[in-house]
Amino acid sequence: MEQKKLGKLHDIKETTSNAVEIIRRIGSPEIQVTLNKVKETATIVNEMMQSLKTPEMLQNIENFRMISENMNDASTKIQNTMQQLKDTGLVEESTDLIKFAKGKLNSFSGDITAGQNLHDVSTATKDMLISINYLVNELKVTVASTKNSKTIRNIKETFIEASDIYKKAIPQAS
């Protein structure tokens, strides 16, 4: 029992000694500088947290959340639109028709007297323009959900350019 008391007394003495050493170190200039920096940092963080709670900042945070959701929705709609376009096959058909028309035009190599080839090109171009028209109509319906007017404008410009190419090719046929 006596030994237990001595052990406890020794532990208390050691703990007290350690506490005195800690207090002495806390009083040192280096620790005081560090503690002051921690205090300044805590003050700045507290001020930042208070500014985040203002109505304006809360509204800004809500706006950012809504923008993020809208971007995610738009991305999903665009992916769905792209998949629908792939599923319809109109893009591939139009590409094939354009390649065919280019091939026919290149096959002339300056021989305008090849009336049958010119007629084939004219027919292929008409088919291509009809396909492009169907594609434009399909894109208008599909893109309407995303309200992406730039896409529709680009499609219309493409259709107009294809029409101009056809109109330029027709005078050669007559």
Side-chain angles (χ1 to χ4, degrees), residues 79-92:
Q79 287 175 348
N80 291 341
T81 301
M82 293 304 294
Q83 186 59 45
Q84 289 174 356
L85 287 173
K86 287 180 183 177
D87 291 344
T88 62
L90 289 175
V91 173
E92 290 82 12

Side-chain angles (χ1 to χ4, degrees), residues 62-74:
E62 178 63 17
N63 289 344
F64 281 121
R65 185 193 63 77
M66 288 172 39
I67 289 169
S68 175
E69 285 179 5
N70 289 338
M71 291 297 286
N72 286 338
D73 291 345

